[in-house]
Amino acid sequence: MNARQPHNDLNLESFWMPFTANRQFKAAPRMLVSADRMHYTSMDGRKVLDGTAGLWCVNAGHGRRRIAEAVERQLSMLDFAPAFQMGHPIAFDFAQRLAEVSPGGPEAGLDRIFFTGSGSESVDTTLKIALAYQRAIGQGTRTRLIGRERGYHGVGFGGISVGGIVNNRRVFPQLPGADHLRHTHDPSRNSFSKGLPKHGVEWPRILSGLLRCMAPKRLRQ
């Protein structure tokens, strides 16, 4: 596609864009056609600083030759190997390397890696693992989940349940037992602070109150 091709040559109707006011966007679209290092090039030839690294997934920059060559080598050798009853050595090697640099060192025991395809899938998988773990240790009644107001945890049903963005969950059913802690962002008190703030002791009390409300009646007494 020519970087200076006018956008009105495109039919924009079929692509339903996420988190976008589609009618407004398609009336005045902002099209990116190429990228190099930390800049995009728009369809009308302007350079645009990529201040969010794509959506936090191009942290090494765009068009990095070493990355492109490594991807090309791997695609030429093997583009995909299923993980159901099969595997590929690189996946196991990568999992081992991640386990070695996981937070807390060997004592933390964060040495099991489950790969997913997106952030939303990661959140929903994490919630499932947490619930399955409680059941496995004989505490299957521990099913309550607490998120934070205004927090974003993806667009799966689990993510919108623990997430605190109201519009994301307004018309959808949610996981039972999900609740939300008030958001800690408080610019009026946090601005220009240095060191530990003098406020914040109320948050453990608020969390404890949520836990008491969630607990079965016999445990509240």
Side-chain angles (χ1 to χ4, degrees):
M1 180 184 293
N2 188 320
R4 295 185 180 275
Q5 177 184 354
H7 65 73
N8 57 10
D9 289 349
L10 296 172
N11 187 328
L12 308 180
E13 293 304 313
S14 295
F15 181 22
W16 188 12
M17 303 172 68
F19 286 91
T20 301
N22 277 255
R23 280 193 294 269
Q24 289 89 331
F25 176 88
K26 291 170 183 179
R30 298 178 296 278
M31 295 293 188
L32 307 173
V33 296
S34 63
D36 181 56
R37 300 301 172 110
M38 61 188 296
H39 289 90
Y40 287 113
T41 299
S42 67
M43 186 172 279
D44 59 0
R46 294 179 297 113
K47 293 291 184 183
V48 181
L49 177 66
D50 181 10
T52 61
L55 271 179
W56 320 292
C57 59
V58 196
N59 297 311
H62 297 274
R64 296 294 296 269
R65 176 54 51 191
R66 287 180 59 191
I67 295 175
E69 290 173 350
V71 171
E72 181 183 13
R73 285 195 303 271
Q74 184 57 49
L75 288 176
S76 299
M77 179 172 58
L78 177 64
D79 51 2
F80 180 77
F84 291 0
Q85 310 298 327
M86 304 178 194
H88 186 276
I90 290 179
F92 291 92
D93 181 60
F94 185 40
Q96 179 63 34
R97 295 188 187 193
L98 282 179
E100 290 173 355
V101 297
S102 293
E107 295 79 12
L110 299 178
D111 56 1
R112 296 294 185 271
I113 309 300
F114 190 100
F115 293 114
T116 61
S118 70
S120 295
E121 184 185 352
S122 297
V123 171
D124 277 34
T125 300
T126 299
L127 297 176
K128 290 164 62 180
I129 290 174
L131 294 173
Y133 172 77
Q134 296 301 326
R135 183 174 291 276
I137 63 174
Q139 299 189 31
T141 58
R142 299 183 66 182
T143 59
R144 303 289 183 163
L145 302 162
I146 298 178
R148 191 173 66 182
E149 291 180 1
R150 297 170 59 187
Y152 175 74
H153 298 297
V155 293
F157 281 101
I160 64 173
S161 297
V162 297
I165 300 177
V166 175
N167 284 340
N168 279 5
R169 60 176 193 265
R170 190 184 300 278
V171 299
F172 303 109
Q174 299 166 57
L175 294 180
D179 209 332
H180 297 84
L181 181 68
R182 197 172 82 235
H183 201 283
T184 58
H185 184 54
D186 188 348
S188 64
R189 294 195 293 176
N190 293 348
S191 296
F192 309 109
S193 62
K194 182 178 181 180
L196 292 176
K198 295 181 180 179
H199 61 277
V201 68
E202 70 273 19
W203 294 113
R205 289 200 297 265
I206 294 172
L207 179 59
S208 296
L210 278 177
L211 295 175
R212 283 195 298 272
C213 291
M214 288 177 152
K217 185 176 180 181
R218 60 183 175 80
L219 295 179
R220 293 184 225 158
Q221 299 172 347

